[in-house]
Every structure is written in C-alpha cells, then in structure tokens.
Amino acid sequence: LTSHSNAAVRLGGVLALRHLLEPEIARFLSDTDSRVVLEAARAIHDLPISEALPQLAAMADRGTVGTTSDVQDALLRRVLSANFRIGDETAAQRIARIAADSKIVEKVRIEALEELKQWGTPSPLDRVLGDWRPIEKRDAKPASDALRSVLGSLFTGSDALRKVSAELAAQYGIKEVEPVLVDVFSDLNQSSPARASALQALVSLKSPQA
C-alpha cells in the first residue's frame, strides 16, 4: 500500500471509532497525517467524546500541528476549546502559551486571549461550533496567573494583540504591566485603538501614570 492509501485506511478507522463514540480514537491524535489528526480532533471535540478530551487538550504541549494553515486553525481551535472546557491551571497555562506563540496565526492567538478573558464566566455557547454547551462559573485565578507569565511578550505582537492584552491586564488588575502600557500609549507609531486600550487599562489599574 502507498502512504496515501495507508492514510485512507487510518482515516476509515477514525470514522468507525467516531461512529462508536470510542475514546480509543485519541490514539489517532499522534498520526503522521494531519488530515487523520484533524478528523480525530473533530470527533473528540464536536460530538463530543468526553473521555478523550484530556488527550486533545494535551496536544497544546506538542507545539503547532498541521501541514496547512486551514488544518492548523481548525485543530488549534479545538485544542484551545478542550483546554477551556477542562478549566484547570494546566489548561490555562496551555492557552496562555498559545496566545504568546508568535508562530501561530493572529486570529488563533486572539481566540486564546478571548478564552482567558471569559474564563470565570464562560459563555454557554461552544466556542468552535456555537452549540449550547454551558460551563459553570469558576475561579478566574488560573487565567490571571497564566496571563501574568506571558503578558509582556504579548505586547510585542500586532495592534490587535496589544489591544486585547491591555484589556486583559485591566480586567485582572495586573499592575506589573504598567510600564509596558505606558510605552504603548506613548509610542505615536502604535495604532490609535492600541494606544486607547493602553490608556484605558492604566486608568482601570489606577496607575499614577494615567
């Protein structure tokens, strides 16, 4: 069999296990073919197959996965969502690392920041599918702690990342980032929305620099 036909056989196995709602499908998350990995991730997250959710969430520890941007986007959104649903300290740290990873496309990094923003009061709608999958309110401290460890690097990103990062710094009262916010506001080369968000964050933090 060619490698292509081998992948087709493995993809057939994923579809069979999906139909059975079998947690064993998680072993295909380590497949060498990104299409097989994505289909396994879709089955685990979208159906869902809850017993395999921890294995999907742990894919964040491997770095980026996928041979095309579309595959990477679809996979990482499900990896993020799995961690968001699990909701423990490790999950929050994984989401923060993805947000800070400059190798990942901006829209996925912003999605990671939005999850940290909504950590304590999650929307009842699933962040990937939009289905009704409510999560109970929970302590926001894991998100705050995770964000604190990467916030400085986020301000070296795009205007959009700086804007959301400033909002998060204000939301969680992270005063250590005040010098960075001052630098963003004072830099006339920054966009107006980014500078405005930095100033609003300084006001929210009751910074004497405001």
Side-chain angles (χ1 to χ4, degrees):
L1 291 174
T2 66
S3 59
H4 180 77
S5 61
N6 278 331
V9 169
R10 298 196 303 276
L11 191 57
V14 169
L15 295 176
L17 292 172
R18 174 190 177 110
H19 180 72
L20 296 172
L21 300 178
E22 175 55 58
E24 180 67 15
I25 199 171
R27 67 188 178 92
F28 286 101
L29 294 174
S30 299
D31 199 271
T32 56
D33 191 299
S34 60
R35 296 167 301 173
V36 175
V37 174
L38 178 57
E39 285 308 313
R42 280 176 170 154
I44 293 167
H45 176 274
D46 297 1
L47 291 178
I49 303 176
S50 299
E51 296 91 333
L53 206 62
Q55 291 96 313
L56 177 59
M59 289 191 73
D61 298 331
R62 305 182 198 172
T64 57
V65 181
T67 57
T68 68
S69 59
D70 289 343
V71 169
Q72 186 186 88
D73 184 290
L75 178 59
L76 282 176
R77 286 181 183 276
R78 286 167 172 81
V79 171
L80 282 170
S81 183
N83 280 288
F84 185 68
R85 299 198 70 83
I86 289 172
D88 59 15
E89 292 181 9
T90 299
Q93 292 288 343
R94 287 169 176 161
I95 292 173
R97 285 200 303 270
I98 289 175
D101 190 342
S102 61
K103 299 187 297 296
I104 294 175
V105 294
E106 179 184 278
K107 59 184 177 181
V108 174
R109 297 175 69 188
I110 290 176
E111 166 61 20
L113 291 177
E114 290 294 336
E115 291 185 358
L116 293 175
K117 184 186 289 188
Q118 295 188 18
W119 192 270
T121 54
S123 166
L125 301 180
D126 180 82
R127 298 196 61 84
V128 176
L129 304 174
D131 293 348
W132 183 264
R133 294 183 181 178
I135 301 173
E136 292 184 1
K137 291 183 178 182
R138 56 198 179 189
D139 184 8
K141 189 175 185 300
S144 176
D145 291 344
L147 181 66
R148 197 180 302 270
S149 66
V150 301
L151 197 53
S153 64
L154 288 168
F155 281 96
T156 64
S158 68
D159 285 342
L161 283 165
R162 282 192 287 268
K163 182 177 184 299
V164 180
S165 299
E167 293 168 356
L168 277 165
Q171 176 179 328
Y172 289 122
I174 302 176
K175 290 184 174 293
E176 297 93 322
V177 81
E178 284 183 26
V180 180
L181 294 171
V182 171
D183 288 343
V184 171
F185 174 73
S186 302
D187 185 353
L188 299 182
N189 293 319
Q190 302 290 349
S191 71
S192 296
R195 294 180 67 216
S197 294
L199 178 58
Q200 290 167 352
L202 287 167
V203 172
S204 296
L205 291 170
K206 295 181 173 57
S207 169
Q209 298 290 331

